[in-house]
Amino acid sequence: MPHGRGERDASPYSGLHRGPGGLPLGPGPMGHAFLGSPIKPRNTVNTVRKLWKYFRSHTLHLATIFVLVMITSLSALVGPYLIGKAIDNFIIPKNFPGLSSLVIFMVVLYLGNSLLLWLQGRLTAKTVQKIIFEMRKEAFDALQNLPVRFFDGILHGDLMSRVTNDLDNISNSLSMGVTQIFSSLITLIGTVIVMLWLSPVLTGISMIVTPLTFLCTQAVSRQTRKYFSENQTILGELNGLVEENISGLKVVKIFSREEKEREKFHVVNERLRDTSIRAQIYSGIVGPLMNTLNNASFALVGGFGGWLAIQKVITVGTIASFITYSRQFSRPLSELATNLNMLQSAIASAERIFQILDEPPEPPDPPDAEEPERLRGEVEFRNVSFSYREGVPVLENVSFHVQPGQMVALVGPTGAGKTTIVNLLTRFYDIDSGTILIDGKDIRTIKRDILRSLLGIVLQDTYLFSESIRENIRYGRLSATDEEVEEAARLAHAESFILKLPEGYDTFLFDGGKNLSQGQRQLLAIARAILADPAILILDEATSNVDIRTEKYIQSAMRRLMSGRTSLVIAHRLSTIRHADMILVIQEGKVIERGTHEELLQKKGSYYRLYMSQFGGESLPRIPLSVEGE
Amino acid sequence: MRKLFVYLKPYWKMVILAPLLMVGEVICDLTQPTLLARIVDQGIVRGDIELVGKTGVLMVGVALLGMMGGVGCTIAASIASQGFGTDLRSAVFQKAQSFSLANVDAFKPSTLITRITNDITQLQHLVLMTLRIVVRAPLLFIGGIIMAISINGKLSSLLMITIPVQVGVFFYLMKRGFPLFVLVQQKIDKVNTILRENLAGVRVVKAFVRSAKERKRFASSNEELMDSTVRALLPMMTLISFLTLVMNLSVVTVLWFGGLLVARDGMQVGEIMAFITYLTQIMFSLMMIGSILMFMSRAGASAGRVNEILETTVSVENPENPDQTSIVRGEVVFERVSFRYHGSGKDLALKNVSFVVHPGEMVAILGATGSGKSTLVHLIPRLYDVTQGRVLVDGRDVRTLDLHTLRSAIGMVPQEPLLFSGTIEDNIRWGNDAASEEEVVEAARVAQIHDFILTLPCGYHTLIGQRGVDLSGGQKQRIALARALVRKPTILILDDSTSAVDVATEQRILREMRRVYRGTIFMIAQRVSTVMNADKILILDAGELVAQGSHPELLESCAIYQEMYKLQVGEESAHYASR
């Protein structure tokens, strides 16, 4: 919303704003739109390491899962052995009592096995979901710490897709993957040991294809990762498009743009289909490929083993058992390959989450940052220069001084840099050169949160949250009682409309307060600021969508609120600022005139012209009225 | 679920092909042991090296055939499932687009977004999994049963107990799982909502230092999501361990009974072994089907949510025989119009409003915050439909007109500019794709934004971010204005759309606009100075039209207007005069 003339530069926030090959997206330096184009190969090892960090804090759970998997896998291996025993020792000799006791033993064993399996499943589900919870939480926390600059150039839908769709993807892959990988590994190792014990030569032969297996998996995995990564990027882009379209549906309708937007959607949707088909194919063919390699190794063992048997090197019995085991060897191997391949998609998604986490946050407060409890309210800009984009200065060498309790008004054409001043004072952005002082202290030496909480800001864009009206007002000061909330609403002249709503203060707002008119939203924002009771008030076009009568009311409330406080007011309606202690006229990033209303009128400069265009014009009959200013 | 299957229809060839190819893989898997047996029984035992070699080659050949089947199945299933998802997504998106604002209000935007991406992804997954297993599992299951019965009828009667038990447990757990997964998707919606708010409201959160509160809010819905996911997954875990147990216990039972039968009826030991093999096969295939069914319950939850969108009756729809005669005059008549927002109880937002606007007139609408000004203008392009009464454009009820024809005659600048990501030119051209470059520039000039655009490094080709956040409020408003002007609409609606523009610029905009634009203008405004030159001023108060007339008329007769005038202009005049 803010700034004068410029846009942000292709920001230093590398990850999210970059496209393939790390190049800034979009044509020229203005570009920061999110375009889903092919992804550069990323550092998988790095991603896995970061992912592992989340697992590490659950070592105990994971170890328990591992032990459980070990027990259940081994008991699954014992089963066939016991069946053989039952047949050989009891059924063939027709020893029925012996059979009964073995059967009872097996029942107990299997009951235990299922119980452990159940526990293992529960524990895995809980652990994986906990990990996902932590990742989601950290992603949100990271977002909270990012500077405003970051949010000004990103498709919201894409960020949302990362926090929901990508995490969902990780959750799906992990909950299937973790135990299966464990159990495959255990079975695999066990089988290899037995095979080696049976015949090292045949083991060697059946392992001939293993490097091939490895290479194959590698090659496929690389593709899988690439396409999954692309898939998630495009999904994010699509989410962004949908989000824009839903949020802006009104405009889409007014301009009958449905067709065009649908085409845009189709293009992305088709691209999504193409990559997701590829991603699915690559992740899906690992299974059959492994199967084939296993069958091939089967043939090798059969053929070569047969030759060996004819040469009387090994016995037929050895081949028979060996084949049984190499069958057993192949299943976990292909499961392992499939699962590892599935994990590629999780890694692709994890990369997108870590990109958020890797964004540089707002620079931390200096260690000796001050935490003033209250402010006197003195504000000084000393030679402040600032640009959103290099080479396009928005503020140049701006200096002014506001004494505690004074009201200063900023006027000037749109885009002159008025809102930028607010952005700098609140440290949404940091200045390039010069100093901003509050109570004589450089604001960069004050803790950012403390600074902001001491300022009361009513922004141009009023944003409300999907909570009750009461909670939205309480946003100004969380400790406020219901009575205080209502008092603030009364002062802001919001109560009359609030009480007309079906559920009064408990009316639930949704979608940024879309169920209220813009004027009503502004009133709530003002109530919020009133409740915050700050030492310095900043009003940015606070009453632009409010009707005159309401504005009058608010102004009187504001005046009451402003007394004893420093206030910075940005206004287009000059009538609202006539009482200001100082008016700064800003044009093209510079303060070109300053003084009181009277002084500036007498000067007959820019302010005079601005004022005349608004009030002095021929359109305005000067009828005598008894209403005095106040 | 079933209703969504129609989206598989275009891919029916793939849908049939995938399982067929899978049969190839299954056959390959089944023949390998037989071939191996031949190597052992005929090759090795007889010392026939040639046969061993030949069979070995044959096995490799069969393996390759199996691979073709497996890979082919994967490809076919991928094409069918992703194609299905793509088509469904398009359909849902198109449907969501056709929603009236009232529909969107009822759904809430975040959930629409989740449904179009996340939910459809779930469905896509289900189709993929199903196509790859659909033949294999039942084949193994039926084959297993036949073989088991053929081996021993008595032992097979065991299946009559275990299979129904297992199927019963399936359905029980699925039924339990289903609502839990519905809950999971709802929780995802909630997480999405908070996330979306924090993205859009980042300045407010930072300004009021409420990041801790937002974190807490997010954490609680994040936790709810985690809990409900775990809760939904647990039945699945129970199912898997239960099925394993049943399988194992069946095997034990077979052993026991088999032992008995061997002892008493002289059953062969080899038969027991074979029976156990097939039993295991049956149970495995059941487990496969079970896991698919569990997956189905999550996908079923998603299907329900997607269907809800598809089945919603759009509250503003094109009439059956739309009147496509284009709107050229721009006359607008409200006849006793009343309007009530969905879900707002009995409160009428507009009450019995009637007025006539002649072609080319400029109408200003004044009124207190929340008095129904925006609502009134929203009825003209049918963003909402009237609750009572009629809105006529060029003498025809808007509900009989073709929506496209109606809206293409209207240019509207909403309160919030709602720009889209793209270049400035793209955004202006939104209004009219066919506009020449000169027309775009002309519109920007009238909106007093041209000069500013030229100061940007890429001029008209400058990209603007998510909803144009890079620009100041006034700049966004003026681009939105240019977007409406380039349309050269018959009716132009300005919904308080210059509120963030300074007064001098606003005056220039109005002057320029009146100079080049000849159509009907509706203008919502807060400032009397803005509306004094209007041909007609409508005064709204709590949804009622309390007065209408020109500035002098109203100044004469309308108390509310007098008060407004005095409040705003009065003090200035007085002040000015006193100087």
Side-chain angles (χ1 to χ4, degrees):
Chain A
M1 79 183 224
H3 15 121
R5 35 193 37 281
E7 330 274 335
R8 268 160 308 85
D9 48 347
S11 68
Y13 306 102
S14 45
L16 291 183
H17 288 286
R18 288 195 177 212
L23 289 170
L25 291 166
M30 316 296 282
H32 33 253
F34 234 124
L35 304 173
S37 8
I39 299 305
K40 67 165 181 175
R42 289 185 214 273
N43 191 345
T44 312
V45 181
N46 208 6
T47 309
V48 172
R49 215 177 47 221
K50 282 182 193 156
L51 207 53
W52 176 243
K53 270 203 302 213
Y54 290 91
F55 283 88
R56 217 170 39 201
S57 49
H58 298 280
T59 320
L60 191 67
H61 279 179
L62 288 174
T64 315
I65 293 172
F66 189 75
V67 170
L68 286 173
V69 171
M70 199 139 86
I71 298 172
T72 49
S73 303
L74 288 181
S75 70
L77 286 177
V78 170
Y81 171 78
L82 287 179
I83 293 172
K85 261 276 200 276
I87 291 171
D88 290 349
N89 295 357
F90 302 115
I91 297 181
I92 295 175
K94 305 193 177 168
N95 176 356
F96 204 67
L99 178 66
S100 296
S101 48
L102 182 69
V103 161
I104 289 167
F105 173 71
M106 285 175 82
V107 168
V108 173
L109 178 82
Y110 284 137
L111 276 173
N113 179 53
S114 277
L115 184 70
L116 292 183
L117 207 61
W118 184 68
L119 285 176
Q120 166 205 318
R122 283 180 77 96
L123 196 59
T124 312
K126 281 188 176 157
T127 310
V128 169
Q129 291 312 315
K130 184 80 189 165
I131 288 171
I132 298 297
F133 167 82
E134 277 158 14
M135 288 180 81
R136 192 178 281 123
K137 179 173 172 297
E138 283 200 14
F140 187 80
D141 287 353
L143 283 176
Q144 290 285 332
N145 289 330
L146 292 177
V148 170
R149 191 186 279 263
F150 170 82
F151 297 94
D152 282 354
I154 199 151
L155 272 183
H156 296 166
D158 182 77
L159 275 178
M160 287 163 62
S161 182
R162 286 170 200 250
V163 180
T164 54
N165 293 336
D166 281 301
L167 275 174
D168 214 30
N169 191 23
I170 298 176
S171 146
N172 282 340
S173 316
L174 287 189
S175 23
M176 298 284 279
V178 170
T179 48
Q180 282 205 0
I181 286 177
F182 277 171
S183 85
S184 310
L185 269 177
I186 291 166
T187 319
L188 202 62
I189 293 167
T191 314
V192 169
I193 291 170
V194 178
M195 278 165 73
L196 277 171
W197 180 63
L198 280 174
S199 164
V201 183
L202 278 185
T203 310
I205 292 168
S206 65
M207 295 279 175
I208 287 176
V209 290
T210 309
L212 204 63
T213 311
F214 188 72
L215 283 177
C216 219
T217 320
Q218 268 277 317
V220 173
S221 285
R222 206 172 307 129
Q223 297 296 318
T224 312
R225 189 165 67 243
K226 182 179 142 210
Y227 285 117
F228 266 122
S229 167
E230 212 173 296
N231 186 61
Q232 293 304 110
T233 309
I234 301 177
L235 189 63
E237 199 187 327
L238 195 80
N239 214 40
L241 213 140
V242 172
E243 202 268 343
E244 263 196 339
N245 263 276
I246 303 282
S247 306
L249 189 63
K250 189 202 255 181
V251 185
V252 174
K253 288 195 170 297
I254 295 167
F255 290 97
S256 308
R257 290 289 295 203
E258 288 97 336
E259 200 75 38
K260 286 273 182 251
E261 287 302 302
R262 213 142 56 214
E263 270 166 37
K264 247 161 80 184
F265 180 88
H266 275 311
V267 171
V268 182
N269 200 11
E270 302 269 296
R271 260 173 49 221
L272 180 65
R273 183 185 61 195
D274 293 347
T275 38
S276 74
I277 286 180
R278 286 202 176 86
Q280 294 303 345
I281 288 177
Y282 277 108
S283 75
I285 58 172
V286 168
L289 275 185
M290 297 307 290
N291 213 352
T292 310
L293 286 171
N294 286 325
N295 280 329
S297 109
F298 225 54
L300 273 177
V301 170
F304 197 70
W307 182 75
L308 283 178
I310 291 169
Q311 306 299 317
K312 306 275 186 235
V313 180
I314 54 172
T315 65
V316 179
T318 310
I319 298 183
S321 12
F322 198 85
I323 280 164
T324 320
Y325 277 105
S326 73
R327 251 279 197 252
Q328 238 183 54
F329 173 69
S330 71
R331 194 184 51 87
L333 192 67
S334 66
E335 261 181 27
L336 199 62
T338 313
N339 273 306
L340 286 177
N341 202 39
M342 273 292 288
L343 278 188
Q344 298 297 333
S345 101
I347 289 171
S349 284
E351 261 167 5
R352 284 166 51 81
I353 302 285
F354 293 141
Q355 274 175 13
I356 300 179
L357 299 182
D358 289 346
E359 287 290 317
E362 287 185 299
D365 292 312
D368 53 344
E370 293 188 51
E371 299 181 40
E373 268 182 33
R374 33 177 335 187
L375 297 175
R376 283 182 294 121
E378 183 189 346
V379 177
E380 187 183 355
F381 271 57
R382 214 180 266 168
N383 305 322
V384 171
S385 295
F386 176 75
S387 58
Y388 291 103
R389 266 171 34 78
E390 229 167 290
V392 189
V394 177
L395 290 183
E396 284 176 85
N397 220 7
V398 169
S399 298
F400 61 86
H401 195 144
V402 188
Q403 296 298 341
Q406 273 193 337
M407 172 189 177
V408 170
L410 304 171
V411 300
T414 357
K418 298 175 309 238
T419 302
T420 303
I421 289 179
V422 175
N423 277 342
L424 295 180
L425 194 59
T426 50
R427 293 197 64 201
F428 285 160
Y429 289 81
D430 271 334
I431 52 177
D432 297 337
S433 68
T435 335
I436 300 175
L437 304 142
I438 286 185
D439 284 7
K441 284 174 282 211
D442 188 329
I443 55 169
R444 281 169 296 193
T445 67
I446 301 174
K447 260 190 133 174
R448 197 185 278 107
D449 282 359
I450 302 284
L451 171 75
R452 286 175 184 160
S453 65
L454 292 170
L455 303 172
I457 310 167
V458 181
L459 294 162
Q460 211 171 34
D461 282 353
T462 311
Y463 201 86
L464 301 173
F465 293 82
S466 51
E467 291 186 278
S468 67
I469 286 190
R470 193 188 300 281
E471 287 310 311
N472 265 292
I473 298 176
R474 213 195 295 276
Y475 217 79
R477 180 156 52 89
L478 296 185
S479 61
T481 64
D482 281 1
E483 288 72 40
E484 286 171 315
V485 167
E486 283 163 27
E487 176 64 22
R490 252 192 303 280
L491 282 173
H493 291 275
E495 187 160 63
S496 59
F497 91 79
I498 293 173
L499 291 180
K500 269 188 224 152
L501 294 170
E503 280 159 81
Y505 281 96
D506 297 315
T507 306
F508 200 79
L509 302 181
F510 60 83
D511 197 25
K514 288 267 161 62
N515 42 350
L516 296 181
S517 80
Q518 194 150 340
Q520 289 167 336
R521 297 212 291 269
Q522 273 176 342
L523 293 183
L524 290 186
I526 290 167
R528 216 187 242 170
I530 290 176
L531 194 63
D533 189 26
I536 300 175
L537 254 184
I538 301 171
L539 306 171
D540 188 358
E541 310 282 2
T543 55
S544 55
N545 290 90
V546 176
D547 65 288
I548 301 158
R549 204 173 357 160
T550 314
E551 189 185 348
K552 281 287 152 195
Y553 291 145
I554 296 171
Q555 268 177 27
S556 67
M558 279 294 171
R559 211 158 296 144
R560 220 175 310 150
L561 182 70
M562 283 193 266
S563 71
R565 282 174 230 271
T566 309
S567 49
L568 231 66
V569 179
I570 296 178
H572 293 145
R573 292 183 226 172
L574 299 184
S575 62
T576 57
I577 52 150
R578 242 186 25 229
H579 303 280
D581 297 298
M582 179 165 63
I583 295 169
L584 300 174
V585 183
I586 297 173
Q587 209 169 323
E588 299 191 351
K590 294 186 194 106
V591 178
I592 55 164
E593 272 175 31
R594 66 182 76 200
T596 63
H597 176 72
E598 302 293 330
E599 285 165 15
L600 290 177
L601 279 187
Q602 247 140 54
K603 212 170 171 182
K604 304 231 162 174
S606 292
Y607 183 77
Y608 176 80
R609 281 194 296 279
L610 217 59
Y611 187 79
M612 279 312 175
S613 72
Q614 220 172 104
F615 298 109
E618 62 295 331
S619 57
L620 216 148
R622 284 168 218 153
I623 45 170
L625 282 155
S626 52
V627 193
E628 228 312 291
E630 231 88 345
Chain B
M1 191 78 221
R2 216 164 299 128
K3 289 170 207 142
L4 299 179
F5 283 156
V6 288
Y7 293 95
L8 269 175
K9 231 175 165 180
Y11 305 97
W12 66 273
K13 281 183 196 151
M14 292 296 162
V15 171
I16 292 171
L17 198 62
L20 284 182
L21 287 166
M22 187 42 87
V23 173
E25 202 187 52
V26 174
I27 289 172
C28 159
D29 280 353
L30 294 177
T31 49
Q32 291 293 59
T34 322
L35 288 174
L36 201 70
R38 194 159 78 186
I39 289 185
V40 175
D41 294 346
Q42 296 172 21
I44 300 172
V45 174
R46 289 182 208 155
D48 187 346
I49 292 185
E50 202 185 331
L51 183 80
V52 171
K54 266 190 194 160
T55 315
V57 171
L58 189 64
M59 278 174 80
V60 174
V62 171
L64 286 176
L65 212 71
M67 178 174 81
M68 279 159 61
V71 171
C73 168
T74 301
I75 293 176
S78 297
I79 291 175
S81 62
Q82 309 307 307
F84 159 80
T86 306
D87 293 354
L88 183 58
R89 219 178 283 119
S90 281
V92 176
F93 180 75
Q94 187 163 345
K95 179 74 184 196
Q97 257 192 343
S98 74
F99 275 9
S100 72
L101 296 186
N103 289 130
V104 177
D105 291 349
F107 262 104
K108 315 268 183 296
S110 294
T111 177
L112 285 177
I113 299 164
T114 322
R115 288 172 202 220
I116 294 176
T117 56
N118 192 298
D119 282 305
I120 291 181
T121 309
Q122 307 285 358
L123 288 170
Q124 232 173 342
H125 235 77
L126 174 73
V127 172
L128 184 70
M129 302 245 304
T130 309
L131 284 182
R132 289 175 61 182
I133 295 184
V134 74
V135 159
R136 202 178 183 141
L139 221 61
L140 290 176
F141 180 71
I142 295 167
I145 288 183
I146 293 172
M147 295 309 283
I149 293 174
S150 74
I151 289 173
N152 192 311
K154 275 188 194 159
L155 275 182
S156 305
S157 54
L158 178 70
L159 294 174
M160 284 167 60
I161 303 167
T162 55
I163 292 176
V165 167
Q166 288 187 327
V167 171
V169 171
F170 270 173
F171 283 105
Y172 172 68
L173 286 174
M174 243 184 77
K175 235 175 122 181
R176 270 195 43 190
F178 181 77
L180 294 175
F181 280 114
V182 172
L183 204 68
V184 169
Q185 295 303 111
Q186 281 170 3
K187 298 297 176 195
I188 291 182
D189 278 348
K190 214 172 145 196
V191 163
N192 246 342
T193 306
I194 297 178
L195 194 61
R196 186 160 169 266
E197 286 182 356
N198 270 274
L199 295 175
V202 60
R203 281 181 160 76
V204 176
V205 175
K206 283 191 186 290
F208 286 92
V209 199
R210 287 298 169 257
S211 141
K213 179 188 159 83
E214 289 306 310
R215 268 173 230 230
K216 223 161 81 201
R217 207 154 74 95
F218 186 79
S220 86
S221 61
N222 191 10
E223 209 170 312
E224 282 172 26
L225 175 57
M226 172 176 71
D227 288 345
S228 61
T229 312
V230 170
R231 280 232 320 271
L233 286 175
L234 288 187
M236 186 124 65
M237 300 308 160
T238 312
L239 180 70
I240 289 170
S241 38
F242 179 78
L243 289 184
T244 316
L245 184 67
V246 171
M247 179 175 92
N248 286 330
L249 290 185
S250 312
V251 170
V252 174
T253 316
V254 167
L255 266 185
W256 197 72
F257 268 111
L260 207 68
L261 288 176
V262 169
R264 221 187 277 155
D265 300 357
M267 183 186 174
Q268 293 296 303
V269 176
E271 285 180 0
I272 297 184
M273 291 178 70
F275 194 88
I276 288 177
T277 312
Y278 288 115
L279 187 68
T280 320
Q281 193 183 325
I282 293 170
M283 297 301 164
F284 257 125
S285 57
L286 261 180
M287 264 212 281
M288 250 196 268
I289 297 173
S291 66
I292 275 277
L293 286 182
M294 277 314 281
F295 198 84
M296 247 179 211
S297 69
R298 175 161 194 191
S302 291
R305 286 157 52 89
V306 169
N307 246 332
E308 226 172 83
I309 296 185
L310 291 174
E311 285 173 357
T312 300
T313 332
V314 177
S315 54
V316 173
E317 258 188 313
N318 219 17
E320 271 187 23
N321 299 307
D323 184 345
Q324 294 185 339
T325 337
S326 50
I327 291 149
V328 285
R329 291 192 299 129
E331 180 198 63
V332 177
V333 178
F334 272 55
E335 273 183 13
R336 291 189 301 281
V337 170
S338 293
F339 178 77
R340 178 180 18 239
Y341 279 103
H342 173 79
S344 65
K346 282 184 180 164
D347 289 343
L348 288 170
L350 287 178
K351 289 171 212 155
N352 214 12
V353 171
S354 301
F355 60 85
V356 179
V357 175
H358 301 292
E361 272 187 343
M362 174 171 163
V363 186
I365 305 170
L366 282 181
T369 298
S371 59
K373 304 186 294 284
S374 295
T375 309
L376 187 147
V377 292
H378 278 150
L379 298 178
I380 304 171
R382 277 191 82 197
L383 289 175
Y384 292 95
D385 268 343
V386 294
T387 309
Q388 262 167 34
R390 293 202 298 170
V391 176
L392 306 164
V393 170
D394 277 11
R396 290 166 289 165
D397 188 329
V398 285
R399 283 169 300 185
T400 64
L401 295 174
D402 179 55
L403 264 182
H404 184 79
T405 313
L406 171 70
R407 287 179 183 158
S408 59
I410 296 173
M412 182 163 172
V413 190
Q415 272 183 3
E416 289 159 289
L418 294 168
L419 301 180
F420 276 63
S421 40
T423 66
I424 292 185
E425 185 182 343
D426 289 343
N427 267 289
I428 297 179
R429 236 176 240 288
W430 249 66
N432 179 7
D433 277 322
S436 68
E437 208 155 302
E438 289 74 41
E439 285 170 321
V440 170
V441 172
E442 173 67 12
R445 231 191 271 278
V446 174
Q448 305 294 317
I449 189 73
H450 173 72
D451 292 340
F452 163 74
I453 295 172
L454 289 189
T455 65
L456 296 171
C458 300
Y460 280 87
H461 299 297
T462 303
L463 281 173
I464 45 183
Q466 169 97 9
R467 268 176 258 141
V469 256
D470 293 312
L471 307 170
S472 80
Q475 287 157 353
K476 283 191 273 184
Q477 285 188 334
R478 283 179 284 160
I479 291 176
L481 179 62
R483 175 175 66 188
L485 287 172
V486 81
R487 216 171 163 76
K488 302 209 167 86
T490 316
I491 301 167
L492 181 65
I493 300 171
L494 310 174
D495 185 357
D496 201 3
S497 40
T498 49
S499 59
V501 177
D502 63 277
V503 179
T505 312
E506 185 188 47
Q507 297 288 353
R508 275 203 300 280
I509 292 174
L510 287 178
R511 212 166 38 237
E512 279 297 290
M513 213 165 65
R514 289 309 298 264
R515 192 175 62 76
V516 299
Y517 180 73
R518 298 265 170 258
T520 309
I521 302 179
F522 280 85
M523 187 162 100
I524 293 178
Q526 311 290 0
R527 302 167 215 181
V528 173
S529 58
T530 325
V531 306
M532 277 183 323
N533 295 326
D535 300 307
K536 183 176 279 163
I537 302 170
L538 307 177
I539 312 278
L540 282 178
D541 186 35
E544 277 176 89
L545 182 63
V546 290
Q548 53 177 315
S550 67
H551 172 71
E553 288 166 18
L554 288 174
L555 209 52
E556 195 91 347
S557 62
C558 174
I560 295 181
Y561 190 74
Q562 282 166 0
E563 190 202 344
M564 282 182 189
Y565 184 77
K566 276 181 198 166
L567 277 172
Q568 195 192 350
V569 177
E571 71 177 62
E572 295 300 331
S573 275
H575 182 81
Y576 189 78
S578 71
R579 278 182 62 244

